Amino acid sequence: EGLDVKIIGYALEKDPFGDLNTITLALDIKNMTDKSFSTFDMALVNEYKKTYYASPFGDTGMWFQKIMPGSRIRGRLSFSVDNPKKKHWLVFYDNRTRKPLAKFSLKNAERDLKKVTK
């Protein structure tokens, strides 16, 4: 409650080794909670519960930014995954307990982005 996350861009990109396995998300985050978040409190989780944290090989524009209570931030994050065709969710974790607080489907975001471009 209070965490408004919009995935405003989605791209599948090659990693430095030429493998097409990096998911880059453009995010618009409005934090109206009482919690602060960093990029280390976000991860992609696939349908088999495998967790992927932000990759240093992709876009690191949001890496060193804190998402403070009452703030809004726009930026990009990249995640190297083993199979980009699997279902993935962007998950936000409590930075103290590491319990998941919010979960956003990439498939739903992709579908919404396609509607906008049509």
Side-chain angles (χ1 to χ4, degrees):
E1 189 70 29
L3 185 63
D4 182 25
V5 177
K6 292 186 177 110
I7 299 172
I8 55 176
Y10 174 98
L12 187 55
E13 301 172 338
K14 290 182 180 180
D15 67 11
F17 308 105
D19 295 325
L20 193 64
N21 67 356
T22 302
I23 296 173
T24 299
L25 302 175
L27 302 169
D28 183 0
I29 303 168
K30 186 175 177 185
N31 182 11
M32 301 313 281
T33 71
D34 61 351
K35 299 187 181 304
S36 295
F37 298 97
S38 75
T39 54
F40 302 105
D41 301 321
M42 296 179 244
L44 287 189
V45 177
N46 74 13
E47 57 197 292
Y48 300 111
K49 307 278 190 260
K50 186 157 184 195
T51 303
Y52 306 93
Y53 290 96
S55 169
F57 295 118
D59 196 318
T60 57
M62 288 179 61
W63 263 47
F64 302 106
Q65 297 184 30
K66 274 274 201 210
I67 307 164
M68 303 302 289
S71 70
R72 182 178 190 165
I73 188 170
R74 289 183 100 166
R76 293 166 43 100
L77 271 183
S78 296
F79 302 86
S80 290
V81 299
D82 61 353
N83 185 345
K85 293 181 182 179
K86 290 181 181 170
K87 293 179 184 174
H88 292 88
W89 290 265
L90 177 63
V91 179
F92 282 72
Y93 294 94
D94 183 292
N95 59 11
R96 290 193 181 106
T97 65
R98 300 311 293 165
K99 289 185 180 178
L101 297 176
K103 187 173 164 178
F104 305 92
S105 167
L106 295 193
K107 288 290 178 200
N108 289 346
E110 281 183 90
R111 186 181 58 237
D112 293 345
L113 288 168
K114 285 179 184 174
K115 284 180 189 176
V116 171
T117 58
K118 286 184 180 182

XYZ file of all heavy atoms in Angstrom, residues 70-108:
330
model
N 7.767 9.467 0.379
C 7.252 10.709 -0.195
C 7.947 11.142 -1.473
O 7.669 12.215 -1.987
N 8.829 10.313 -1.997
C 9.567 10.721 -3.198
C 9.098 9.966 -4.439
O 8.390 8.959 -4.348
C 11.070 10.497 -3.002
O 11.368 9.118 -2.982
N 9.530 10.490 -5.562
C 9.252 9.863 -6.856
C 10.560 9.808 -7.631
O 11.342 10.767 -7.602
C 8.225 10.685 -7.624
C 7.857 10.058 -8.937
C 6.804 10.876 -9.633
N 6.302 10.141 -10.768
C 5.199 10.447 -11.399
N 4.478 11.467 -11.007
N 4.808 9.730 -12.421
N 10.770 8.688 -8.317
C 12.012 8.507 -9.056
C 11.707 7.819 -10.380
O 10.810 6.976 -10.455
C 13.026 7.698 -8.214
C 14.384 7.656 -8.878
C 12.525 6.313 -7.922
C 15.469 7.082 -7.987
N 12.440 8.217 -11.408
C 12.362 7.551 -12.712
C 13.762 7.122 -13.087
O 14.715 7.860 -12.889
C 11.820 8.496 -13.780
C 10.352 8.804 -13.615
C 9.878 9.664 -14.730
N 9.218 8.762 -15.670
C 8.439 9.161 -16.644
N 8.248 10.432 -16.855
N 7.856 8.293 -17.436
N 13.867 5.907 -13.607
C 15.180 5.425 -14.007
C 15.092 4.046 -14.624
O 14.010 3.496 -14.806
N 16.259 3.516 -14.942
C 16.334 2.204 -15.588
C 17.203 1.266 -14.760
O 18.181 1.688 -14.163
C 16.919 2.353 -16.986
C 16.010 3.119 -17.933
C 16.688 3.573 -19.207
N 17.544 2.597 -19.839
C 17.196 1.835 -20.882
N 15.998 1.957 -21.407
N 18.053 0.989 -21.415
N 16.801 -0.014 -14.764
C 17.561 -1.072 -14.110
C 17.612 -2.276 -15.028
O 16.624 -2.584 -15.700
C 16.893 -1.508 -12.807
C 17.250 -0.808 -11.525
C 16.517 -1.449 -10.349
C 18.735 -0.830 -11.261
N 18.743 -2.971 -15.015
C 18.906 -4.173 -15.839
C 19.110 -5.389 -14.943
O 19.739 -5.295 -13.887
C 20.109 -4.024 -16.766
O 19.894 -2.977 -17.684
N 18.581 -6.515 -15.403
C 18.687 -7.776 -14.674
C 19.125 -8.865 -15.650
O 18.489 -9.047 -16.692
C 17.333 -8.175 -14.080
C 16.750 -7.155 -13.140
C 15.990 -6.103 -13.620
C 16.969 -7.254 -11.776
C 15.447 -5.161 -12.761
C 16.436 -6.313 -10.908
C 15.674 -5.269 -11.395
N 20.191 -9.587 -15.318
C 20.614 -10.734 -16.128
C 19.884 -11.959 -15.611
O 19.995 -12.299 -14.431
C 22.120 -10.955 -16.012
O 22.804 -9.917 -16.655
N 19.129 -12.607 -16.500
C 18.330 -13.771 -16.115
C 18.785 -14.983 -16.923
O 19.431 -14.848 -17.955
C 16.819 -13.501 -16.338
C 16.362 -12.327 -15.483
C 16.496 -13.239 -17.796
N 18.438 -16.182 -16.446
C 18.870 -17.378 -17.171
C 17.999 -17.650 -18.388
O 18.483 -18.148 -19.395
C 18.948 -18.602 -16.265
C 17.620 -18.986 -15.643
O 16.634 -18.238 -15.789
O 17.567 -20.052 -14.989
N 16.716 -17.309 -18.324
C 15.819 -17.516 -19.458
C 14.786 -16.389 -19.490
O 13.833 -16.400 -18.710
C 15.123 -18.876 -19.343
C 14.268 -19.198 -20.549
O 13.953 -18.336 -21.370
N 13.875 -20.448 -20.661
N 14.938 -15.432 -20.393
C 14.017 -14.288 -20.418
C 12.605 -14.656 -20.872
O 11.685 -13.849 -20.739
C 14.672 -13.318 -21.399
C 15.573 -14.148 -22.226
C 16.008 -15.307 -21.374
N 12.400 -15.869 -21.376
C 11.063 -16.282 -21.822
C 10.177 -16.750 -20.669
O 8.979 -16.865 -20.824
C 11.178 -17.381 -22.878
C 11.809 -16.860 -24.151
C 11.896 -17.923 -25.201
C 12.581 -17.340 -26.442
N 12.735 -18.310 -27.494
N 10.775 -16.998 -19.516
C 9.992 -17.384 -18.340
C 9.239 -16.172 -17.813
O 9.586 -15.028 -18.101
C 10.907 -17.931 -17.244
C 11.512 -19.270 -17.576
C 12.390 -19.755 -16.436
C 13.016 -21.086 -16.808
N 14.054 -21.481 -15.850
N 8.216 -16.433 -17.016
C 7.474 -15.340 -16.372
C 8.340 -14.765 -15.252
O 8.980 -15.503 -14.504
C 6.169 -15.865 -15.787
C 5.179 -16.315 -16.822
C 3.938 -16.843 -16.161
C 2.991 -17.396 -17.216
N 1.826 -18.051 -16.601
N 8.329 -13.439 -15.147
C 9.097 -12.749 -14.108
C 8.224 -11.699 -13.433
O 7.326 -11.126 -14.065
C 10.332 -12.056 -14.693
C 11.370 -12.999 -15.184
N 11.375 -13.494 -16.460
C 12.436 -13.550 -14.558
C 12.404 -14.309 -16.612
N 13.067 -14.349 -15.479
N 8.541 -11.434 -12.175
C 7.885 -10.389 -11.409
C 8.956 -9.502 -10.801
O 10.002 -9.992 -10.353
C 7.045 -10.990 -10.275
C 5.834 -11.709 -10.755
C 4.566 -11.200 -10.865
C 5.755 -13.063 -11.210
N 3.726 -12.167 -11.363
C 4.419 -13.315 -11.590
C 6.688 -14.091 -11.351
C 3.999 -14.541 -12.082
C 6.271 -15.313 -11.846
C 4.944 -15.523 -12.198
N 8.696 -8.200 -10.784
C 9.561 -7.262 -10.083
C 9.072 -7.233 -8.637
O 7.901 -6.929 -8.378
C 9.470 -5.867 -10.709
C 10.276 -4.770 -10.034
C 11.771 -5.070 -10.110
C 9.974 -3.422 -10.672
N 9.957 -7.581 -7.706
C 9.583 -7.694 -6.300
C 10.363 -6.668 -5.481
O 11.570 -6.497 -5.669
C 9.855 -9.130 -5.777
C 9.487 -9.243 -4.306
C 9.091 -10.160 -6.600
N 9.642 -5.995 -4.577
C 10.256 -5.065 -3.632
C 10.283 -5.739 -2.267
O 9.275 -6.301 -1.833
C 9.442 -3.766 -3.537
C 9.663 -2.840 -4.686
C 9.155 -3.136 -5.946
C 10.379 -1.673 -4.517
C 9.361 -2.287 -7.016
C 10.589 -0.812 -5.590
C 10.083 -1.123 -6.834
N 11.436 -5.675 -1.605
C 11.623 -6.324 -0.304
C 11.801 -5.291 0.795
O 12.358 -4.218 0.562
C 12.874 -7.209 -0.328
C 12.770 -8.373 -1.259
C 13.244 -8.289 -2.563
C 12.191 -9.573 -0.848
C 13.151 -9.363 -3.436
C 12.097 -10.651 -1.715
C 12.578 -10.542 -3.005
O 12.472 -11.605 -3.865
N 11.360 -5.635 1.995
C 11.635 -4.826 3.170
C 13.141 -4.926 3.421
O 13.694 -6.026 3.489
C 10.853 -5.370 4.370
C 11.047 -4.526 5.610
O 12.185 -4.518 6.141
O 10.079 -3.889 6.054
N 13.815 -3.794 3.558
C 15.284 -3.830 3.678
C 15.766 -4.341 5.031
O 16.942 -4.638 5.181
C 15.908 -2.473 3.336
C 15.417 -1.362 4.223
O 14.768 -1.580 5.230
N 15.727 -0.140 3.837
N 14.882 -4.483 5.982
C 15.289 -5.034 7.282
C 14.971 -6.525 7.387
O 15.814 -7.311 7.779
C 14.606 -4.272 8.415
C 15.137 -2.865 8.548
C 14.700 -2.225 9.855
N 15.221 -0.886 9.916
C 14.484 0.205 9.758
N 13.202 0.104 9.530
N 15.050 1.394 9.820
N 13.742 -6.896 7.036
C 13.313 -8.294 7.208
C 13.517 -9.131 5.955
O 13.461 -10.351 6.025
C 11.824 -8.352 7.575
O 11.048 -7.861 6.467
C 11.535 -7.546 8.833
N 13.712 -8.487 4.796
C 13.841 -9.138 3.482
C 12.556 -9.851 3.064
O 12.562 -10.674 2.165
C 15.027 -10.106 3.435
C 16.371 -9.471 3.697
C 16.662 -8.232 2.914
N 16.804 -8.477 1.479
C 16.775 -7.524 0.560
N 16.618 -6.279 0.910
N 16.906 -7.826 -0.686
N 11.443 -9.525 3.691
C 10.157 -10.086 3.280
C 9.639 -9.307 2.075
O 9.794 -8.083 2.011
C 9.131 -9.996 4.411
C 9.424 -10.929 5.542
C 8.335 -10.886 6.575
C 8.668 -11.848 7.703
N 7.679 -11.816 8.765
N 9.013 -10.003 1.098
C 8.455 -9.305 -0.063
C 7.321 -8.365 0.360
O 6.453 -8.755 1.145
C 7.922 -10.432 -0.943
C 8.503 -11.690 -0.413
C 8.857 -11.444 1.020
N 7.343 -7.143 -0.150
C 6.307 -6.161 0.164
C 5.367 -5.913 -1.009
O 4.195 -5.617 -0.816
C 6.947 -4.831 0.568
C 7.797 -4.846 1.825
C 8.444 -3.482 2.026
C 6.950 -5.211 3.036
N 5.887 -6.001 -2.223
C 5.082 -5.727 -3.421
C 5.644 -6.530 -4.584
O 6.850 -6.781 -4.651
C 5.105 -4.241 -3.747
N 4.748 -6.901 -5.509
C 5.129 -7.750 -6.639
C 4.407 -7.244 -7.883
O 3.199 -7.017 -7.842
C 4.693 -9.177 -6.292
C 5.114 -10.248 -7.208
C 4.718 -11.582 -6.551
C 4.744 -12.709 -7.504
N 4.407 -13.979 -6.882
N 5.157 -7.056 -8.984
C 4.606 -6.513 -10.218
C 4.968 -7.429 -11.381
O 6.140 -7.724 -11.604
C 5.140 -5.095 -10.462
C 4.883 -4.168 -9.315
C 5.828 -4.004 -8.311
C 3.681 -3.490 -9.205
C 5.598 -3.181 -7.234
C 3.435 -2.655 -8.122
C 4.387 -2.499 -7.138
N 3.975 -7.857 -12.138
C 4.172 -8.798 -13.243
C 4.769 -8.114 -14.469
O 4.250 -7.098 -14.939
C 2.826 -9.423 -13.618
O 2.916 -10.093 -14.844
N 5.855 -8.696 -15.020
C 6.432 -8.146 -16.253
C 5.545 -8.468 -17.454
O 5.482 -7.683 -18.397
C 7.833 -8.692 -16.485
C 8.909 -8.306 -15.481
C 10.285 -8.648 -16.020
C 8.843 -6.855 -15.098
N 4.864 -9.613 -17.438
C 3.974 -9.971 -18.551
C 2.846 -8.948 -18.661
O 2.497 -8.507 -19.752
C 3.393 -11.378 -18.380
C 4.401 -12.468 -18.601
C 4.782 -12.565 -20.055
C 5.828 -13.632 -20.265
N 6.566 -13.495 -21.479
N 2.267 -8.560 -17.525
C 1.218 -7.545 -17.544
C 1.769 -6.209 -18.042
O 1.119 -5.502 -18.810
C 0.611 -7.357 -16.156
C -0.234 -8.531 -15.729
O -0.602 -9.394 -16.534
N -0.545 -8.591 -14.451
